[in-house]
Amino acid sequence: MLFPGLSGGSDRGYVKALVITLLSDGFDVAIFHNRGVSNTPYTSLHFADLSKTEEVDKALKFVVDMAGPGAELVGIGLSMGGNIMLRAAGMYGENFPLKVIAAVNNPFDLNLAINLMRGTAYEKNLAKDLKRSLIC
């Protein structure tokens, strides 16, 4: 199961490349989309809240149900998706359904990461992507 970054989803090049690699290595792939990103329409009155795991819980349940009993599930979290996956793993503890997880380039210290991004080209591109996602 892939957890892309804050503004990422299955339409992003880096996600597509990783999916192609995983599929060619024999993995089935599921991608967790944060609410409202990657051209995913809002279907409720609530915006995504990255401090809650309700959507992750539902996505994990769906993946576990689809994979079936005995499936060995792994997770890859990229950037903020890594934080989301790790938080869920910590909350589930030993009951976390993903047996192996890897977090790549995730900002453990969000305040520091935000402050280091201020005024950079990355911040401008991220803001543009999020604005495009949130404004219909």
Side-chain angles (χ1 to χ4, degrees):
M1 185 169 183
L2 295 181
F3 294 81
L6 184 59
S7 65
S10 55
D11 63 337
R12 296 300 183 141
Y14 73 96
V15 175
K16 290 178 181 179
L18 186 52
V19 167
I20 289 169
T21 300
L22 291 168
L23 290 173
S24 69
D25 287 343
F27 289 93
D28 293 325
V29 180
I31 301 170
F32 174 75
H33 277 212
N34 288 304
R35 187 183 311 213
V37 301
S38 193
N39 298 318
T40 304
Y42 277 98
T43 56
S44 78
L45 299 175
H46 305 284
F47 285 108
D49 182 347
L50 301 179
S51 69
K52 302 207 167 132
T53 60
E54 179 182 338
E55 291 185 33
V56 174
D57 295 340
K58 289 179 182 181
L60 287 169
K61 182 179 180 339
F62 178 81
V63 168
V64 167
D65 290 347
M66 292 299 292
E72 293 185 358
L73 305 174
V74 300
I76 301 171
L78 306 164
S79 190
M80 191 64 189
N83 281 39
I84 292 168
M85 180 187 67
L86 291 173
R87 183 167 194 277
M91 293 184 77
Y92 274 85
E94 292 181 13
N95 296 320
F96 193 55
L98 305 179
K99 299 306 173 202
V100 176
I101 58 175
V104 180
N105 197 37
N106 59 305
F108 284 110
D109 185 334
L110 293 177
N111 288 328
L112 177 62
I114 289 167
N115 287 323
L116 290 173
M117 282 192 312
R118 290 198 194 283
T120 66
Y122 181 82
E123 179 190 41
K124 289 177 186 175
N125 284 327
L126 179 62
K128 185 172 65 175
D129 284 347
L130 291 173
K131 183 178 176 183
R132 187 177 26 242
S133 299
L134 296 173
I135 299 175
C136 301

